């Protein structure tokens, strides 16, 4: 315990509330709420009540408990929670003089630095612990009195003030205490115990604390007085100790119930009088308290009657928990969704009566003592640590039993490394939540509400589980928790391993203390370093050491041995052992041999019990004088020696194999399962029946080791390597693996759980229809325990082959057998295995298993075919995880059916599908697996930064939503997060070299360092920058961090030595904003990239290399960029520097600064992000046009077609260390993970002849048959006859397509240097005209694709609309420069230009039907021109509707009306003459484009909501649609001349033709379903028909599509012969050998 001090705040001055201080710091000049806070070593220890004036802050006294005078004390002035001023100093500075000390605080706001801060005058003196407690109690009492005064007129005040005389209560409590002590002693005597009964002892301690506390409390309620009076009256029988003892002996059961009820009642009184876990009475008075008091009184009166009559009667134990739970039943369904681990403790041993009593009393007293009553107990966690075998688990079980009898046990979780199913750290929070909900109805209600509001929280990382399922609900219901709820975690060191439980241990240490104080935790563990290092430094965790060397430990073991010897004597009665056997001397020797270890004593007595001759067995034990570990080993050896025929090779083989499953198994298994798993010659029950001293087992039940030390002994070569029972994992794990594979071969079968209907999901899909309701029953009926186990763990047992342990320990026969079994599983049972994983919701197991198989097949068995299959199977599982996880039937109907044609899995299993029964799939999509592996959603803002962990397993992301998250790089599952702490956008993230930490930089001008596994901030934010932080990175050795900021500096931080307030170790100033920074991989250098927005000419757009030790410039400045630098990086070998700006990527020699190559950004998009591949030969660049492109750094050539999938600009890219994956973060708020293997393999084949090729040409190289645009289709148009469609794209090309077949007629036509924005056919269809963002107009020949006219240059800004005259001899164009131009087609000359009339972008132009006039519309006005002279005929007509902004304006063919596409999703039709308007509402997002039918009766519109709508102008209603199919915004629409079709072009790069009235044949063939964003194609009843993989969505035909044109191919579905629903099994025809 540290030294206690009294700190008195004498005065506070120099706080200028009006000007210098509050107004500058507090937005809105709100009323001051000032307080003084005191921190010791970063922990808050005291805070005054809020005050409006500085005067009220004076004359405050607090007590502090401090470990050392060298501790740091921080004095702060707060407004609400915001720190206004602060001073940190050593405690010794306040103790140097025994006088008042003036402390001048420092302003915390930047613009106030340098101005005098407030002054606090304090005095600090050393005091005793008793004085410290008095001060704390006085402060608490003062707070209560203040609150009482404030609430005198309230209902609470009335209850408080309606008390009785305090002295009466004190008198009764004093009487109660003395009598209770008498009863407790007598009850112990009646039970032949040396110590007072625990219930009596605990009740006495509680009432004693209440007695002392009530001395300070002013009033107590009448009902409490009545209750205490009743209790005192009943205990009157104890006045005469002799008669009391006699009555207690005779009515032991009733007296036992009395003291038990007294403890519960004492806890209630403790809460009620305001000295318990819930705070003072005025904070915790509830309306139901009077009813509870009455029930307590009734219970005591019944007990009193029983005592008076002298007869034992059945009594009712009344608890506050029981009273609460009687009011309502728990929400079972919601709580069961928590998937808690079953914790059946019925067979766990408890302490022998009288043993460990002092320690158990200390534990129970600690747990029932409120934190604010005893200064020794500052938190809600008690940690008992000690060596293995010391009896921690038995103590935990006894404490659990104690509180369970009192109905105060919230949860009891016990872990066992041999039972991984119960010891997964990921299950702990959900399991605690479940059992806590069962302990209190109000808690249950709050938890159920939390699950209902956020169902996903159940499967979120444990940090989110804790916040959403525990912290928030318990905080909400804390006022209904009376007295302690005890949660016990036993053997925390056996919960997972140090790495997997790291997040849990951190959560316990840092966050469990935030729970309401009534929720108390008792935790036991070995003092493993990962646990001890966290718990020892947390002041709110009280540590209790289980010392096995103290005398009481030996005494307890002696008591235990005495009790066990009685059982041994009785069992071995034939040996005529004396009633004192084995005698005092040998009992002492046994006790000494135990060395304080209960596990030794337990094993020894079990050994004696099972021996033939107990005398000989006892002598063999005592004839050794060894260390503790040696003694334990010896007792284990002796127990095993007498248990079997270890000289018999068959026995040795079978026993070792059976024990290996028990010790190496991933979860406990039964003897019958072991027999089936190992195919033993004789039943394993013969073996286990001999090992009762080390195993817990009954026939047909799971076999469990009694203590983890037994496993340690059997598997440690140094301890048992020379014994026949030694278990060598390297040789025995493969045997278990083969046993598992044999089980799979025997028991796996098609549709193993007999699912009848493909329309019903196997497991719940969030937001969709219900799933199978009897899944658990089906699993029990159809999946045996051995199949369950084998499906999950065969690969885990096989993994030892790939470890450092030589495989030579497995025999050739075993190795060859494993290969045969693996091939059988992969080639004949693979899909059946996935079925089992589906129903177990363990699909992730498949990924790890298959990766292990692929690795072993390649590196050990040299089986390329098996390796290729397993690699392909990983892709199959990853790509179809949404199907495999939720529907067994659709593993076949959807996953197998839609797998790419070149898939190895499809090659093996596709023949199982019956073509005449399954859905017809006609697809031109590539037969290879798609690039996209996973789409990760979770951020609510754009993803600004992504980074792979050094091992490539995780991806960190930072977002504009101010959070960080960490994801699984393979599956996209959230691992941990969100990390909250930044106050503005997170711009950049980076992992440390060891993957343990993440650094983030934010627009809030700070850097944060986080624990990558737990999401906890390490230390405090790094503050030093004065503007937005753009880039951060760790040095290669992890000791430094570099950051670049808009404040024109690079800061180098010495991370290892960082403490709060540290300045950067080095600040490197620049002449312009620092946009990017990166460390060199092999030397003490950083490279920086700078520039300002809008700068040109390269003046400030520089690349520079700096020495991180001196800050001196090493290389540069390197000039070449014309826009500011966005990203910099060293190549992996450190020889080159990469820099990226909007317009180009440059590669430089890192030593000489020579520019090696410049890779120019394609025309149109801007480059945003870049990363080297691990070999340094390629770079991956993300662009504003949503694409990623991979470039060869030597040739500057594109190495593959652009990677397409995002719907927003690609802001960040990262390549995994093995080069197998690319991660990209986007404006669309998603992260995509791409399979980079194909792309980077292709890079090795790139020829220099491709240098400078554009997207279209590189796509043509990879896909010789051109199938579609490679970027947004901005404009589409039907030809006058309707047989062709023209399209223009952001890929700068024009195409002409057959409108029925989709084959390309002409194109792609290259000529424009930027996006094509508009297109139109000539009247005779021989020509098309196009306008572009490059300001030019081109005319093309439709037949041969040659340029006929152009480029026509006359506009100064993008050309947004073009049209031919009816005669085809002239073209009219409109531009963003607000002008209209008319061109002569034959001469290519400008006829006239109209300027100065329109005031905004001209969006629509058209000739009148006779060609004599031209109509043009901008986004704000319409005019009518003479087509020959350009003279203004009519207008301009101004239009403005409800201040609405429009994106497009169109004319009806007769020119009488105009249509305006609104950004609010509304289409408006306006009559320019009358100004009448009609609104058409149906879109849910902005309308991009619209068109009228040729007869002017219908309108078609395309929207950002991805839909196309058709409207009836006369009926003023929706005529057809919403037409679905596009996956991104629709940019352009047009009617066919016959008005039967509509064509649309989209941001998703596709073109779709919709039939307005499709015939029934087309509907039937294509199906009636709707495709959700998650890929499920649903029927009209929202039941699943098929799951369509995302790579087919953009090219998928929907029911009303007669044509889809898409660059990556299209897919048609035919359901004409599809057998689904209850007949789905007919779709599968299995080979004879497979089932």
């Amino acid at each position: 315990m540290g030294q206690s001090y009294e700190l008195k705040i004498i005065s506070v001055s120099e706080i200028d509330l009006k000007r210098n201080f509050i107004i500058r710091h507090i937005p809105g000049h709100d009323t001051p709420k000032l307080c003084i806070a005191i921190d010791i070593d970063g922990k808050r220890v005291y805070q005054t009540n809020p005050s409006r004036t500085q005067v009220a802050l004076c004359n405050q006294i607090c007590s502090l408990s401090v470990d050392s005078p060298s501790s740091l004390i921080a004095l702060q002035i707060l407004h609400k929670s915001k720190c206004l001023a602060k001073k940190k100093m050593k405690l010794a500075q306040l103790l140097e003089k025994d006088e008042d000390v003036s402390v001048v605080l420092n302003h915390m706001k930047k613009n106030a630095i340098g101005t005098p801060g407030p002054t606090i005058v304090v005095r600090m003196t050393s005091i005793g612990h008793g004085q410290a407690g008095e001060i704390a109690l006085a402060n608490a009492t003062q707070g209560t009195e203040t609150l009482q005064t404030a609430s005198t007129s309230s209902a609470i005040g009335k209850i408080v003030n309606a008390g009785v005389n305090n002295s009466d209560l004190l008198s009764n409590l004093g009487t109660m205490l003395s009598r209770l002590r008498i009863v407790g002693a007598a009850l112990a005597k009646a039970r032949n115990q040396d110590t007072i009964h625990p219930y009596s002892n605990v009740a006495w301690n509680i009432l004693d604390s209440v007695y002392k506390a009530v001395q300070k409390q002013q009033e107590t309620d009448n009902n409490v007085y009545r209750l205490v009076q009743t209790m005192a009256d009943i205990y009157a029988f104890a006045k005469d100790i002799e008669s009391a003892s006699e009555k207690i002996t005779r009515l032991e059961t009733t007296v036992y119930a009395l003291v038990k009820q007294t403890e519960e009642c004492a806890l209630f009184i403790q809460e009620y009088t305001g000295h318990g876990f819930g705070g003072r009475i005025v904070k915790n008075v509830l309306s139901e308290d009077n009813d509870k008091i009455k029930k307590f009184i009734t219970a005591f009166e019944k007990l009193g009657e029983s005592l008076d009559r002298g007869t034992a009667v059945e009594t009712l134990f009344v608890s506050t928990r029981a009273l609460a739970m009687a009011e309502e039943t728990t929400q079972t369904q919601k709580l069961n969704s928590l998937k808690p681990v079953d914790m059946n403790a019925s067979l766990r041993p408890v302490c022998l009566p009288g043993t460990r009593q002092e320690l158990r009393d200390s534990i129970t007293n600690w747990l029932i003592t409120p934190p604010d009553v005893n200064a020794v107990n500052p938190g809600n966690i008690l940690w008992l640590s000690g060596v293995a075998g010391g009896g921690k688990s038995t103590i935990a079980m006894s404490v659990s039993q104690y509180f369970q009898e009192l109905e105060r046990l919230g949860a009891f979780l016990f872990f066992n490394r041999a039972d991984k199913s119960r010891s997964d750290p990921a299950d702990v929070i959900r399991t605690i939540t479940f059992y806590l909900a069962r302990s209190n109805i109000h808690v249950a209600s709050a938890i159920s509400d939390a699950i209902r509001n956020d169902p996903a929280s159940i499967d979120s990382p444990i940090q989110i589980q804790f916040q959403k399922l525990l912290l928030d609900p318990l905080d909400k219901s804390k006022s209904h928790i009376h007295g302690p709820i005890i949660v016990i975690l036993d053997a925390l060191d056996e919960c997972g391993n140090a790495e997997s439980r790291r997040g849990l241990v951190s959560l316990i240490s840092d966050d469990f203390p935030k729970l309401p104080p009534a929720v108390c935790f008792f935790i036991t563990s070995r003092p493993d370093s990962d646990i001890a290092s966290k718990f020892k430094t947390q002041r709110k965790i009280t540590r209790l050491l289980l010392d096995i060397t103290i005398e009481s430990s030996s005494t307890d073991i002696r008591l235990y041995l005495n009790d066990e010897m009685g059982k041994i004597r009785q069992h071995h009665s034939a040996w005529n052992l004396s009633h004192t056997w084995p005698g005092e001397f040998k009992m002492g020797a046994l006790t000494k041999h135990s060395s304080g270890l209960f596990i030794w004593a337990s094993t020894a007595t079990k050994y004696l019990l099972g021996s033939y001759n107990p005398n000989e067995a006892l002598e063999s034990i005592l004839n050794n004088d060894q260390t503790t570990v040696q003694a334990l080993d010896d007792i284990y050896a002796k127990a095993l020696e007498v248990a079997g025929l270890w000289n018999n090779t068959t026995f040795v083989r079978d026993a070792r194999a059976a024990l290996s499953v028990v010790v190496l198994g991933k979860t406990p298994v039964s003897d019958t399962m072991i027999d089936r798993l190992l195919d033993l010659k004789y039943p394993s029950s013969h073996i286990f029946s001999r090992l009762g001293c080390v195993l817990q087992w009954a026939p047909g039940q799971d076999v469990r080791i009694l203590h983890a030390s037994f496993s340690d002994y059997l598997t440690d070569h140094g301890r048992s390597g020379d014994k026949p029972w030694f278990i060598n994992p390297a040789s025995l794990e493969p045997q278990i693996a083969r046993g598992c594979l044999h089980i799979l071969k025997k028991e796996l079968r098609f549709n193993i759980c007999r699912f009848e209907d493909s329309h019903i999901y196997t497991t719940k899909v969030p937001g969709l229809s219900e799933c199978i309701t009897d899944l658990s029953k089906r699993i029990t009926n159809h999946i045996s325990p051995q199949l369950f186990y084998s499906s999950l763990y065969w690969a885990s047992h096989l993994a030892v082959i790939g470890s450092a342990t030589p495989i030579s320990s497995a025999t050739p026969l075993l190795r060859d057998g494993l290969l045969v079994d693996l091939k059988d599983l992969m080639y004949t049972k693979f899909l059946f295995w996935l079925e089992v994983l589906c129903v177990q919701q363990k699909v992730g197991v498949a990924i790890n298993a298959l990766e292990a198989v692929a690795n072993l097949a390649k590196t050990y068995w040299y089986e390329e075919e098996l390796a290729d299959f397993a690699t392909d199977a990983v892709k199959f599982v990853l790509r179809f995880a949404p199907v495999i996880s939720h529907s067994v039937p659709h593993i076949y109907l959807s996953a197998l059916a839609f797998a790419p044609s070149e898939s190895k899995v499809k090659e093996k299993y596709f023949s199982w599908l019956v073509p005449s029964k399954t859905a017809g799939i006609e697809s031109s999509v590539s037969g290879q697996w798609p690039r996209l592996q996973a789409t990760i959603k979770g951020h609510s803002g754009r993803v600004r930064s992504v980074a792979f962990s050094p091992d490539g397993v995780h991806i960190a992301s930072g977002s504009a939503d101010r959070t960080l998250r960490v994801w699984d790089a393979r599956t996209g599952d959230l691992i941990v997060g969100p990390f909250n702490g930044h106050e503005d956008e997170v711009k950049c993230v980076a992992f440390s070299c060891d993957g343990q930490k993440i650094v983030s930089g934010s627009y809030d001008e700070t850097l944060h360092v986080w624990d990558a596994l737990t999401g906890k901030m390490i230390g405090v934010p790094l503050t030093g920058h004065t503007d937005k932080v753009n880039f951060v990175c760790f040095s290669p050795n992890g000791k430094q961090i570099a950051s670049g900021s808009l404040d024109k500096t690079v800061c180098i931080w010495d991370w290892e030595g960082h403490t709060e307030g540290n300045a950067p170790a080095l600040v490197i100033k620049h002449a312009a904003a620092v946009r990017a920074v990166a460390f060199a991989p092999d030397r003490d250098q950083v490279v920086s990239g700078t520039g300002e927005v809008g700068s040109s000419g390269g003046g400030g757009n520089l690349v520079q290399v700096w020495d991180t030790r001196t800050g001196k410039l090493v290389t540069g400045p390197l000039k070449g960029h014309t826009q500011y630098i966005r990203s910099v990086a060293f190549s992996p070998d450190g020889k080159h520097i990469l820099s990226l700006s909007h317009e180009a990527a440059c590669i430089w020699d890192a030593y000489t600064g020579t520019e090696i190559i410049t890779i120019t950004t394609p025309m149109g998009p801007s480059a945003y992000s870049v990363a080297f591949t691990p070999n340094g030969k390629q770079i991956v660049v993300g662009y504003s046009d949503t694409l990623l492109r991979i470039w060869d750094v030597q040739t500057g050539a594109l190495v593959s077609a652009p990677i397409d999938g995002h719907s927003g600009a690609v802001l960040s890219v990262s390549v995994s260390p093995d080069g197998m994956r690319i991660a990209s973060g986007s404006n669309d708020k998603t992260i995509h993970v791409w399979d980079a293997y194909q792309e980077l393999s292709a890079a090795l084949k790139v020829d220099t002849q491709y240098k400078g090729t554009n997207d279209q040409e590189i796509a043509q190289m990879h896909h010789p048959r051109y199938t579609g645009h490679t970027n947004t289709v901005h404009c589409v148009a039907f030809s006058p006859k309707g047989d062709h469609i023209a399209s223009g794209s952001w890929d700068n090309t024009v195409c002409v397509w057959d409108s029925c077949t989709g084959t390309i007629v002409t194109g792609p036509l290259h000529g424009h240097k930027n996006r094509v924005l508009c297109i139109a056919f000539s009247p005779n269809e021989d020509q098309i005209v196009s306008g572009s963002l490059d300001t030019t107009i081109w005319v093309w020949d439709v037949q041969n694709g040659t340029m006929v006219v152009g480029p026509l240059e006359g506009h100064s800004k993008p050309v947004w609309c073009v049209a031919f005259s009816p005669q085809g001899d002239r073209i009219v164009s409109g531009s963003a420069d607000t002008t209209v131009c008319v061109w002569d087609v034959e001469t290519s000359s400008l006829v006239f230009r109209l300027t100065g009339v329109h005031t905004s972008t001209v969006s629509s132009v058209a000739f009148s039907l006779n060609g004599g006039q031209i109509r043009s519309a901008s986004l704000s006005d319409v005019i009518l021109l003479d087509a020959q002279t350009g003279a203004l005929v009519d207008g301009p007509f101004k239009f403005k509707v409800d201040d609405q902004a429009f994106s497009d304006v169109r004319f009806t063919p007769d020119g009488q009306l105009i249509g305006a596409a609104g950004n609010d999703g509304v289409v408006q039709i306006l009559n320019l003459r009358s100004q009448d308007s009609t609104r058409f509402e149906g879109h849910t997002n902005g309308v991009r484009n619209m068109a009228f039918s040729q007869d002017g009766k219908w309108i078609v519109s395309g929207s950002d909501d991805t839909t196309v709508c058709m409207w009836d102008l006369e009926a003023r209603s929706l005529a057809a649609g919403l037409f679905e199919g596009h996956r991104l915004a629709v940019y352009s629409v047009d009617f066919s001349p016959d008005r039967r079709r509509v064509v649309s072009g989209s941001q998703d790069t596709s073109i779709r033709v919709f039939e307005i009235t499709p015939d029934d044949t087309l509907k039937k063939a294509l199906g009636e379903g709707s495709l959700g964003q998650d890929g499920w194609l649903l029927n009209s009843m929202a039941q699943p028909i098929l799951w369509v993989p995302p790579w087919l969505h953009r090219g998928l035909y929907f029911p009303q599509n007669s044509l889809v044109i898409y660059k990556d191919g299209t897919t048609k579905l035919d359901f004409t012969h599809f057998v689904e629903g209850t007949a789905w099994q007919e779709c599968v025809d299995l080979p004879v050998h497979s089932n």
Side-chain angles (χ1 to χ4, degrees), residues 872-1047:
D872 185 82
V874 171
K875 296 178 179 179
F876 182 87
V877 173
L878 283 172
R879 300 315 198 279
F880 290 104
V883 173
I884 301 169
S885 298
H886 295 298
S887 176
V888 164
H890 286 281
I891 293 174
Y892 305 91
L893 303 183
S894 296
L896 183 57
F898 282 116
S901 58
E902 297 181 19
S903 163
K904 303 294 182 184
V905 172
K906 189 161 192 171
E907 183 181 309
K908 287 288 183 185
Y909 291 99
F910 188 68
S911 61
W912 289 13
L913 297 181
V914 181
S916 62
K917 303 284 189 179
T918 53
I921 303 173
E922 179 186 335
S923 183
S924 59
V925 176
S926 168
Q928 296 181 333
W929 286 106
R931 298 159 161 177
L932 185 61
Q933 279 191 350
T935 297
I936 301 174
K937 299 179 181 179
H939 283 295
S940 60
R942 55 184 175 168
V943 180
R944 300 301 307 262
S945 182
V946 292
F948 274 100
S949 60
D951 58 6
V953 172
H954 295 148
I955 297 170
S957 62
S959 168
D961 65 11
R962 305 182 180 187
T963 70
L964 291 82
R965 288 170 166 82
V966 177
W967 315 86
D968 187 299
R970 300 172 309 172
T971 65
D973 294 334
L974 182 64
I975 300 300
V976 63
F979 302 3
N980 293 298
H982 283 297
E983 297 178 0
D984 207 331
E985 291 192 25
V986 178
K987 177 61 168 60
C988 42
V989 296
F991 274 97
S992 60
C993 56
D994 60 3
Q996 300 295 306
K997 296 181 284 292
I998 298 171
V999 61
S1000 60
S1002 168
Y1003 281 0
D1004 67 7
E1005 305 174 10
T1006 69
L1007 287 73
H1008 290 189
V1009 180
W1010 313 83
D1011 186 302
L1013 185 63
T1014 68
K1016 297 293 181 184
M1017 191 189 308
I1018 301 174
V1020 296
L1022 303 179
T1023 56
H1025 286 295
T1026 59
D1027 209 330
K1028 297 176 180 177
V1029 179
N1030 279 321
F1031 227 89
V1032 290
C1033 55
F1034 271 100
S1035 62
N1037 62 11
K1039 295 181 178 181
Q1040 291 183 315
I1041 296 170
S1043 58
S1045 167
L1046 290 184
D1047 66 7

Side-chain angles (χ1 to χ4, degrees), residues 658-722:
L659 281 172
S660 73
V661 178
V662 177
V663 172
L664 303 175
K666 310 307 175 185
T667 186
V669 295
S670 67
D671 57 316
T672 53
M673 178 174 157
I674 290 174
D675 295 343
R676 292 167 183 160
L677 197 62
L678 299 177
D679 197 21
L680 296 177
K681 186 175 182 180
Y682 303 107
S684 58
S685 58
H686 295 306
I687 299 165
F688 298 134
S689 64
R690 297 168 174 262
L691 296 174
C693 57
V694 289
L695 298 177
Q696 176 184 304
W697 170 77
Q701 301 300 311
D702 289 346
V703 187
R704 300 174 187 270
I705 57 173
L706 289 176
H707 198 268
S709 59
F710 183 56
S711 288
D712 298 338
Y713 167 72
L714 288 178
T715 56
D716 189 330
H717 188 274
R719 296 168 66 182
S720 63
D722 59 344

Side-chain angles (χ1 to χ4, degrees), residues 159 197 310 424 484 569 726 728 949 1111 1121 1163 1403 1427 1450 1608:
I159 293 174
H197 191 274
D424 187 345
R569 289 191 294 268
F726 170 61
N728 180 9
S949 60
H1121 288 285
M1163 185 65 73
S1403 63
R1450 298 286 163 170
D1608 292 332

Side-chain angles (χ1 to χ4, degrees), residues 1524 1563 1566-1571 1577-1580 1585 1598-1599 1615:
E1524 297 179 324
K1563 280 188 176 182
L1566 297 179
E1568 296 285 356
S1570 60
L1571 183 66
L1577 188 64
L1578 307 176
N1579 61 21
S1580 59
I1585 303 172
F1598 274 63
F1615 298 122

Side-chain angles (χ1 to χ4, degrees), residues 1593-1604:
H1593 290 183
R1594 293 190 182 186
L1596 181 67
Y1597 277 75
F1598 274 63
Q1600 288 175 299
N1601 286 134
S1602 60
L1603 178 64
V1604 178

